[in-house]
Amino acid sequence: MMARRVQFTTRIGVIATTVGSAVGLGNIWRFPYEAGAHGGGAFMLCYLFFIFIIGIPVISAEFVMGRAAHSGIMGAFRYHSGNHRWDWVSYASILAAILILSFYSVVAGWTMEYTFDSVTGHLGNVADSARHAEFDSFISGWRPVWWMIAFLAINAAVLLGGVQKGIERMSNILMPLLFVILLVFCVNSLLMPAAGEGLAFLFKPDFSAITPSVVLGAMGQAFFSLSIGLGCMMTYASYFSDSTPIVKTATTTALLDTLVAVLAGIIIFPAVFSFGMQSEAGPKLVFEVLPSIFYRLPGGSVWSAMFFFLLVLASLTSTISMSEIFIAFLCDEFKIARRKATVILTLLAMVLGSLCALSFGPISDITIFGKTIFNAFDYASSNIILPIGGMVISLFVGWRLDRHTLLSQLASNGRLPSWIAPCIIISLRYIAPICILAVFLAS
Ligand code: PFF
């Protein structure tokens, strides 16, 4: 008999937790910089296509596998296939989770520094024209390493608090507040002089700009942002109760996640154009633009401190979810205590995270396939491992999973409009795998 798993207590708790995983630096830091670097509207169009046509079916597929098996990714593949032949998918996803956790914690660390600098008033004293140099000098030194370590230590502390209490309670309070703050900043950005230009950049696709690298970037961003392709949502679904509606939860998660990314874009690009900044600034974009936005408002330090603090918390709900993949794997497969698994994960991420943090300065000349360590970790996980994981999960659930299990899981003890399950199955069997393969071949 399988041991009964702890379960999420409420519907709101389920949504808050899946959205908590999905919404994070991916939406507020990575989306604007990827969109900025890939031509704005063209990127946005591809991104939305991947979210709705592939993303929602793949989240649903992860939910189905995880809940039916009551297990994380490795156990779920074994349970549904009856053999160990799919173990490689789990190893790849565990690798991706570690890589993401490492570079993500570095950016979360930058966010902590900015929270701190807002509170001390330092950030407000920097002139707009000096922000670029200021940020450069910060990330090329050692301070990001200490912040990254601090962030991972907090992550570990929350994880040790257990599934329900730690994650659920925090997400419940946090997410609505973040939405409200984003809305306020949105209105502020829409009042800027070049708001129209910024919005046109983001929403008006230049079709000739849709190149294979834009499409690959958008696909990677969609997977990264939804936390799919590496069994993260699968692990969470193993804690769902039998009545949690799978398709509804998947759709709500995708909609809210996309909303946050679009809001972040609406905040950033009007400002980028109004201040005459470069939309192609890459990972630094948001950190250079946002403070200039905040400090234009009365009470700038308060806004800035609040925003960066919430971003740290949003990052935390995301890192907790990627950590769960690794921890569930160690606990389920090796019967290691949760505490020990958490310590192993944290130490490993601290070592790899240091390499990522230093790759903006002291070790910037070390490259992997022409990319710095930070960029290589990001590219390999988001643009390669997650889409491959998503493709395998779609094919597995679409073709291999027992039909009865699939349909009853999708229906979740309730009524599902009759056209929904076939649409999801068609996407899982054909559309998602073919699109992912086509993007890989083209690029
Ligand atoms: N979706 C998160 C974000 O957008 O910030 C990042 C993420 C979380 C990726 C969990 C992967 C994952 F397993």
Side-chain angles (χ1 to χ4, degrees):
M1 262 298 278
M2 205 177 310
R4 270 204 79 71
R5 292 205 145 209
V6 209
Q7 288 187 347
F8 290 125
T9 41
T10 60
R11 272 284 290 137
I12 281 287
V14 168
I15 293 284
T17 312
T18 54
V19 174
S21 165
V23 172
L25 293 168
N27 310 64
I28 291 165
W29 159 73
R30 200 175 186 279
F31 174 80
Y33 103 61
E34 284 281 330
H38 288 115
F43 180 89
M44 178 73 136
L45 188 69
C46 301
Y47 172 72
L48 293 178
F49 170 84
F50 287 116
I51 292 279
F52 291 103
I53 307 298
I54 297 181
I56 294 178
V58 174
I59 312 185
S60 307
E62 290 206 13
F63 284 169
V64 165
M65 282 186 78
R67 180 171 64 188
H70 293 292
S71 159
I73 183 161
M74 182 166 287
F77 268 102
R78 286 184 187 165
Y79 173 89
H80 293 292
S81 69
N83 59 50
H84 288 215
R85 250 178 275 148
W86 299 84
D87 284 3
W88 64 272
V89 186
S90 319
Y91 291 124
S93 75
I94 288 153
L95 172 69
I98 275 283
L99 294 182
I100 298 177
L101 182 62
S102 309
F103 77 79
Y104 201 94
S105 302
V106 172
V107 183
W110 298 348
T111 316
M112 285 172 80
E113 158 98 5
Y114 268 42
T115 311
F116 182 75
D117 285 352
S118 311
V119 172
T120 59
H122 173 72
L123 203 61
N125 292 334
V126 178
D128 281 352
S129 56
R131 292 210 186 277
H132 176 76
E134 172 81 10
F135 188 66
D136 256 352
S137 102
F138 162 61
I139 59 172
S140 53
W142 280 80
R143 271 211 326 280
V145 176
W146 316 132
W147 282 116
M148 178 269 306
I149 289 176
F151 178 80
L152 283 169
I154 298 172
N155 183 57
V158 176
L159 284 165
L160 291 173
V163 177
Q164 262 163 322
K165 275 177 281 156
I167 308 175
E168 204 171 320
R169 208 178 291 158
M170 199 173 51
S171 319
N172 283 348
I173 310 170
L174 176 89
M175 289 297 122
L177 196 55
L178 187 66
F179 268 125
V180 175
I181 297 230
L182 285 172
L183 284 177
V184 174
F185 290 144
C186 249
V187 173
N188 172 54
S189 279
L190 289 175
L191 297 175
M192 291 188 178
E197 214 178 317
L199 293 182
F201 174 78
L202 188 60
F203 292 111
K204 233 177 165 178
D206 165 7
F207 290 96
S208 66
I210 302 184
T211 61
S213 102
V214 169
V215 181
L216 178 66
M219 181 167 84
Q221 175 61 24
F223 277 81
F224 185 88
S225 192
L226 293 177
S227 316
I228 53 177
L230 74 171
C232 172
M233 291 297 177
M234 211 180 281
T235 306
Y236 270 176
S238 69
Y239 305 110
F240 284 3
S241 75
D242 290 339
S243 59
T244 303
I246 280 187
V247 181
K248 213 182 198 178
T249 308
T251 311
T252 313
T253 305
L255 285 175
L256 291 176
D257 184 66
T258 307
L259 181 63
V260 175
V262 172
L263 290 180
I266 297 178
I267 294 172
I268 299 285
F269 289 107
V272 166
F273 286 91
S274 300
F275 305 157
M277 290 169 151
Q278 289 291 322
S279 58
E280 301 96 2
K284 301 174 188 173
L285 178 72
V286 168
F287 286 89
E288 291 174 1
V289 178
L290 284 177
S292 304
I293 304 182
F294 303 154
Y295 284 96
R296 246 147 236 254
L297 290 172
S301 344
V302 177
W303 286 115
S304 177
M306 213 154 65
F307 179 85
F308 284 117
F309 178 67
L310 282 176
L311 194 50
V312 173
L313 291 181
S315 313
L316 202 52
T317 51
S318 298
T319 51
I320 287 165
S321 71
M322 47 191 111
S323 306
E324 281 290 343
I325 300 171
F326 193 87
I327 292 172
F329 165 70
L330 289 184
C331 293
D332 291 351
E333 296 309 311
F334 298 102
K335 311 291 170 229
I336 290 184
R338 200 179 153 82
R339 180 173 286 272
K340 203 164 163 193
T342 308
V343 173
I344 296 175
L345 168 77
T346 304
L347 293 178
L348 191 58
M350 283 177 179
V351 172
L352 294 175
S354 305
L355 297 178
C356 292
L358 295 173
S359 74
F360 286 93
I363 56 171
S364 59
D365 48 347
I366 301 181
T367 56
I368 307 172
F369 293 112
K371 293 185 186 301
T372 62
I373 298 178
F374 181 100
N375 287 335
F377 278 24
D378 184 351
Y379 190 89
S381 50
S382 314
N383 289 7
I384 301 175
I385 306 182
L386 300 193
I388 292 181
M391 181 158 87
V392 175
I393 292 168
S394 325
L395 289 170
F396 187 89
V397 173
W399 293 98
R400 181 72 200 265
L401 203 76
D402 166 58
R403 199 53 180 233
H404 173 74
T405 308
L406 175 56
L407 292 175
S408 65
Q409 283 293 335
L410 285 176
S412 315
N413 290 341
R415 274 169 290 134
L416 189 68
S418 60
W419 56 273
I420 291 185
C423 285
I424 290 185
I425 294 174
I426 289 174
S427 174
L428 294 176
R429 286 191 155 194
Y430 307 102
I431 304 176
I434 291 174
C435 287
I436 297 171
L437 192 67
V439 174
F440 276 131
L441 292 181
S443 48

